[in-house]
Amino acid sequence: MDFPLDFHHIGIACRDIHKTQVFYVAMGYTPSPVVDDPLQHVRVCFLVKEGAPRLELLEPLDEQNPVARTLETAGVSPYHICYKVQDIDAAVAELRKQRFLLVNGPVVACAMDNRRVAFLFQKNTGLIELVEKTAR
Ligand code: NI
């Protein structure tokens, strides 16, 4: 692949951010303020800890999003890995050449400092998210 995909976070589907974050806070993670993203129909909280992967807890605001469907089929579970990219449009085009299906976006994500995100799915990889490094 001729562009870097730098790890950004693991997205975890949960039913209640505050109940799920208890475990991680006990392990030393620091939670961000909780933000509602009405465009994505989710409530979001990031968890950070020095030397550990950044985590994103996602709680569905309604039934109209894949987080709700993940909870139905798999329960509370990791459901995407997010990578940051310099040029999200170029990265989406490259991944589509590799038979990834563009599921959503690129769309501005208020929970990600108004940077654009996109979700792509490929059956041998699963769901990934891209986030651009800086807002436009
Ligand atoms: Ni995410």
Side-chain angles (χ1 to χ4, degrees), residues 21-57:
Q21 77 178 14
V22 168
F23 171 76
Y24 296 101
V25 170
M27 288 206 300
Y29 275 87
T30 303
S32 72
V34 174
V35 173
D36 285 359
D37 182 342
L39 262 184
Q40 304 278 5
H41 304 267
V42 287
R43 177 164 288 156
V44 181
C45 173
F46 283 94
L47 291 160
V48 292
K49 182 185 176 183
E50 182 74 32
R54 184 187 291 110
L55 305 177
E56 175 191 44
L57 301 182

Side-chain angles (χ1 to χ4, degrees), residues 9-11 46 56 58 79-82 112 117 119 129:
H9 67 260
I10 299 169
F46 283 94
E56 175 191 44
L58 296 149
Y79 101 107
H80 70 256
I81 296 179
C82 180
M112 303 273 283
V117 302
F119 285 89
E129 178 183 17

Side-chain angles (χ1 to χ4, degrees), residues 2 13 15 25 27-28 36 47-48 53 75 85 94 105 114 120 123 136:
D2 60 356
R15 296 189 177 89
V25 170
M27 288 206 300
D36 285 359
L47 291 160
V48 292
V85 294
E94 174 64 29
N114 290 323
L120 297 106
K123 65 178 180 179
R136 285 194 301 180

